[in-house]
Amino acid sequence: MKKNEMENEEKFKKLMRYYFETLKSANKENEQYVAKVTFSSYYELGCAINEMLKLCILGVDNDVHKISETDIRTTINLSLILEVVHQLFPLDAFEFLDEIDDMFLKKV
C-alpha cells in the first residue's frame, strides 16, 4: 500500500471515530447498536413515551375524539417528540460524508 493511501486510511479511521457518535456498538459482533437519548427524569421519559403513543393513535385512527375519551389532555406535545427525534438525528454522519467528499470525491 502506498504511503498516501495509508495516510488517507488513517485519516478516514480518525474521522469515523470522531463523527460516528449517534450509534454505539451494543455487542462485540457489531450486529446491534445503541442510540443514546437523554431525559432529565423518569417522568420526562414517561411523558415522551405517552406523547408518542398518542401521536400513533391519531395516525392510525385519524380520529381526535378517540384520544379525548382516554386522556383528558387532548393536545399532543409535539415539541417533546421532536426533541427526541432531534437527539436521534445523526448530523455527525452528514458532516462525515462532507469530509469523505472532500478527501476522495472532489479530487476526481
Side-chain angles (χ1 to χ4, degrees), residues 38-87:
T38 56
F39 296 95
S40 62
S41 65
Y42 281 104
Y43 181 74
E44 185 183 14
L45 170 62
C47 287
I49 293 169
N50 188 41
E51 296 300 321
M52 286 186 237
L53 288 171
K54 289 193 297 186
L55 184 62
C56 291
I57 291 168
L58 286 176
V60 170
D61 290 341
N62 200 15
D63 187 0
V64 177
H65 302 293
K66 288 248 183 197
I67 289 287
S68 62
E69 293 171 8
T70 59
D71 192 345
I72 297 168
R73 298 170 294 156
T74 58
T75 60
I76 295 175
N77 188 343
L78 286 176
S79 63
L80 181 60
I81 294 169
L82 292 172
E83 178 60 33
V84 172
V85 172
H86 180 259
Q87 288 183 39

